[in-house]
Amino acid sequence: MKTIKAYAKFLEVFCWVIIIPFVIGTSIYNWFFDQTYWVKLYSTYNSYTRSFLLYQSLSFKNIMLPSFLKSLGIIVHLISLTLLLWGLLSLISVLRKYKQGDIFSLDVFRKFKSVSKIAFAWALYQPIKHTLLTLVATMHNPPGKRVLTLAINSNDVINIFLVGFFLVMTSLMYEGYKLKKEQDLTI
Amino acid sequence: MKINVKLDEMMARRKIRLKDLAAEVGITEANLSILKTGKAKAIRFSTLEALCEALDCQPGDLLDIEEEK
């Protein structure tokens, strides 16, 4: 029990001090301070769509996305970031319960279930995010050069595996809760 | 079929309070109450032995079985 509490405390502090600030900080830096971020976004999605020749013929100024499209891109990223932060905060609430020694209760099972639902939503959103960013990156291209893509890469496959693992863990938490409930009512 | 724990009957016969019985058996009043009200899922042999010793009775005096309606 001491080990579980110690690990839970460490992970909670790690989430608050390292992961959450890093995720939020890098997102804000990329969106508002990194001048090359939007250029890379534009060139990446246009190279995927074989519009690279168009990119090569344009000057640096021309390939900067307009503010309206940057805002759209930020909104697309913001959905993913919100899901990620929501999942992390739910996980932190589970870790707090573990810190208190409460491991196999109904409350912990419910929180764990919500973490796996959020992880599922996040994993499902990643290919959709790719499609939306392609739209954002090519929306201000001339007619005939605007593209819509649908792609699933190795990261998406890994995400699906992780979500599946979370679902298995959720079932395990429920079995643990049932066993504890029976044990508590054994006098 | 449901197994009943006739603890309240035996406690009344032996004129012993819940608090005193719990102290003698070595379990909490809350757990003894769970047993008395029929909410317990299982009972350990060690607990049954301690109850029989404290109430000076047989396990059969504490447990009976009834058909569920």
Side-chain angles (χ1 to χ4, degrees):
Chain A
M1 184 62 88
K2 273 186 187 173
T3 317
I4 294 171
K5 286 181 180 179
Y7 284 153
K9 191 177 178 182
F10 167 73
L11 283 172
E12 189 190 345
V13 169
F14 190 76
C15 279
W16 280 119
V17 172
I18 308 284
I19 296 181
I20 291 175
F22 178 75
V23 164
I24 295 174
T26 50
S27 298
I28 291 172
Y29 176 75
N30 286 336
W31 298 341
F32 300 110
F33 300 104
D34 185 0
Q35 295 300 320
T36 61
Y37 176 74
W38 297 104
V39 173
K40 281 181 216 161
L41 188 81
Y42 180 90
S43 59
T44 304
Y45 287 102
N46 275 288
S47 68
Y48 286 164
T49 59
R50 300 175 188 275
S51 302
F52 198 64
L53 286 172
L54 177 70
Y55 161 63
Q56 282 184 322
S57 67
L58 297 171
S59 68
F60 179 84
K61 196 177 174 184
N62 287 345
I63 62 170
M64 288 300 283
L65 289 176
S67 302
F68 167 68
L69 288 178
K70 277 189 196 175
S71 307
L72 275 181
I74 288 170
I75 290 167
V76 170
H77 276 296
L78 210 54
I79 295 169
S80 179
L81 183 67
T82 305
L83 284 170
L84 186 64
L85 288 174
W86 187 15
L88 277 172
L89 290 172
S90 300
L91 196 62
I92 284 169
S93 69
V94 171
L95 291 170
R96 278 198 183 137
K97 284 283 180 181
Y98 288 169
K99 239 174 48 176
Q100 291 162 9
D102 184 10
I103 298 169
F104 292 116
S105 67
L106 191 62
D107 194 29
V108 170
F109 161 68
R110 284 187 180 140
K111 286 179 195 290
F112 216 93
K113 198 173 169 187
S114 76
V115 171
S116 42
K117 281 182 186 171
I118 294 163
F120 176 74
W122 180 82
L124 199 67
Y125 182 67
Q126 297 313 301
I128 297 170
K129 184 175 120 179
H130 177 95
T131 305
L132 291 172
L133 285 175
T134 318
L135 268 177
V136 165
T138 61
M139 210 186 277
H140 85 310
N141 285 359
K145 298 285 181 185
R146 294 167 196 163
V147 186
L148 183 70
T149 61
L150 183 63
I152 294 174
N153 59 33
S154 57
N155 284 342
D156 297 324
V157 174
I158 290 166
N159 290 340
I160 289 166
F161 171 78
L162 285 174
V163 166
F165 184 73
F166 255 116
L167 291 170
V168 168
M169 289 293 294
T170 307
S171 305
L172 277 172
M173 296 307 292
Y174 185 65
E175 291 301 317
Y177 155 70
K178 281 195 310 188
L179 284 169
K180 186 171 181 292
K181 189 178 164 187
E182 194 161 324
Q183 194 202 27
D184 284 345
L185 292 175
T186 298
I187 312 299
Chain B
M1 302 282 254
K2 190 177 180 277
I3 291 180
N4 295 322
V5 180
K6 297 182 290 178
L7 198 57
D8 41 359
E9 255 182 61
M10 283 310 297
M11 280 171 66
R13 264 193 229 172
R14 299 287 184 261
K15 294 183 179 59
I16 187 169
R17 291 183 310 170
L18 191 86
K19 189 180 167 182
D20 300 328
L21 182 61
E24 209 168 316
V25 169
I27 59 175
T28 60
E29 278 181 62
N31 281 350
L32 198 59
S33 178
I34 288 170
L35 204 56
K36 195 173 155 221
T37 54
K39 288 177 186 167
K41 292 269 183 193
I43 184 167
R44 295 188 182 91
F45 282 140
S46 55
T47 309
L48 187 58
E49 191 184 323
L51 277 169
C52 290
E53 218 173 288
L55 293 168
D56 188 27
C57 64
Q58 293 291 309
D61 297 329
L62 286 172
L63 305 169
D64 81 358
I65 193 163
E66 73 174 40
E67 294 267 344
E68 270 192 306
K69 292 170 190 175

